[in-house]
Amino acid sequence: MSAKLGVNVDHVATIRQARRTTEPDPVTAAALAELAGADGITVHLREDRRHIQERDVRILRQTVQTRLNLEMAATDDMVELALEIQPDCVTLVPERREELTTEGGLDVALHRQLIKKQVGLLRQGGICVSLFVDPDLDQLKSSHRVGAEYVEIHTGSYCAAKTAGDRANELIKVENAIRAGKKLGLGVNAGHGLTYQNIGPVVALGGVEEFNIGHSIMSRAILVGMERAVREMVELLKR
Ligand code: PXP
């Protein structure tokens, strides 16, 4: 069975927020992604609200036809908001204000009590919970212990590997993590840093239910859309 694709539209909001204007709207981008075949829409509502805004999540909750996955920090405020908005799934991620993007997986083993509490509250509220973790056996076991239904394996180290040898080693870690997660009865998703060039070997491993991909799809969308966008403006300049 093919893996599902969750499209992360955060970067559409990044461009909008660069001008604090109303375009491009991540809600429109999400609808187009769904029309093109996305199985789900992911947004990360960060504490500093640097790209996605609360307004986006609330509207997406009404407009997304597939599944809405909300990435967020495991804080009381965010859990309260998620329980109110009711995304289909919450993916808990670590968050530091100064990072460019989510840099590492959640340390579930270290923050077991807090994460267990938040997973319990979200699940009681009818929301499916996934934990974004490094491909590490301890983290997978801890994720199972705190009651998560899914894990999302962090593929960042695999994607960032500079040599073929390092990449092969990181791929083995991802493969072992997928196997371990499934053995524990967890649903296994994967994401971060995946591109059109590096996703093939991960897909070939099998066992991943859904890939969450943002930056590479948005980057390509800007380039494949460039010609038409410029042509349309050139038309408007004609007298
Ligand atoms: N999964 C998680 C948990 C993330 O935090 C991100 C980045 O927002 C992604 C997937 C998507 O990563 P990328 O934008 O590199 O495809």
Side-chain angles (χ1 to χ4, degrees):
M1 208 175 67
S2 298
K4 293 182 186 146
L5 174 63
V7 175
N8 180 316
V9 295
D10 289 353
H11 289 314
V12 177
T14 302
I15 297 176
R16 177 190 61 191
Q17 294 312 110
R19 288 287 176 93
R20 300 278 189 279
T21 178
T22 54
E23 67 168 9
D25 194 325
V27 175
T28 312
L32 290 171
E34 286 189 317
L35 285 174
D39 299 291
I41 299 299
T42 294
V43 287
H44 184 174
L45 185 63
R46 296 185 73 101
E47 214 187 352
D48 61 10
R49 306 292 194 262
R50 71 170 72 149
H51 39 52
I52 292 294
Q53 307 296 305
E54 251 181 70
R55 165 265 183 206
D56 302 328
V57 188
R58 289 183 192 283
I59 297 177
L60 284 167
R61 175 59 298 174
Q62 293 175 39
T63 58
V64 165
Q65 305 287 315
T66 53
R67 296 181 78 246
L68 178 62
N69 172 35
L70 176 62
E71 285 179 16
M72 57 180 233
T75 62
D76 291 344
D77 284 354
M78 285 307 306
V79 169
E80 198 178 310
L81 191 65
L83 288 169
E84 187 209 323
I85 296 179
Q86 289 280 311
D88 298 288
C89 183
V90 158
T91 301
L92 294 177
V93 299
E95 210 175 280
R96 285 193 297 120
R97 271 176 192 261
E98 61 275 21
E99 68 191 0
L100 284 178
T101 179
T102 316
E103 283 167 3
L106 198 60
D107 195 340
V108 190
L110 184 67
H111 304 291
R112 217 155 83 197
Q113 289 316 318
L114 171 74
I115 294 171
K116 187 174 179 177
K117 181 186 93 171
Q118 310 297 36
V119 170
L121 287 169
L122 290 162
R123 287 195 63 183
Q124 264 171 35
I127 301 170
C128 165
V129 185
S130 179
L131 303 179
F132 184 53
V133 293
D134 289 332
D136 174 285
L137 188 57
D138 279 348
Q139 297 298 341
L140 292 161
K141 283 185 183 160
S142 298
S143 300
H144 175 62
R145 277 196 214 114
V146 299
E149 294 158 282
Y150 279 84
V151 283
E152 180 174 331
I153 309 286
H154 194 326
T155 49
S157 297
Y158 158 75
C159 297
K162 294 274 184 285
T163 66
D166 286 351
R167 203 170 306 120
N169 286 336
E170 293 299 333
L171 189 63
I172 290 170
K173 288 188 199 164
V174 172
E175 181 175 21
N176 290 339
I178 295 169
R179 290 230 181 96
K182 291 180 81 74
K183 214 166 161 184
L184 288 162
L186 294 161
V188 177
N189 299 330
H192 211 286
L194 294 167
T195 67
Y196 295 81
Q197 288 74 32
N198 66 23
I199 196 165
V202 190
V203 173
L205 297 174
V208 173
E209 200 168 304
E210 180 167 292
F211 287 98
N212 275 312
I213 306 177
H215 187 263
S216 192
I217 292 177
M218 296 308 135
S219 303
R220 182 164 291 220
I222 289 172
L223 295 185
V224 300
M226 183 66 73
E227 202 181 318
R228 177 169 161 191
V230 172
R231 224 183 299 118
E232 287 177 5
M233 186 57 84
V234 167
E235 278 304 309
L236 291 175
L237 303 187
K238 287 184 181 158
R239 303 178 61 188

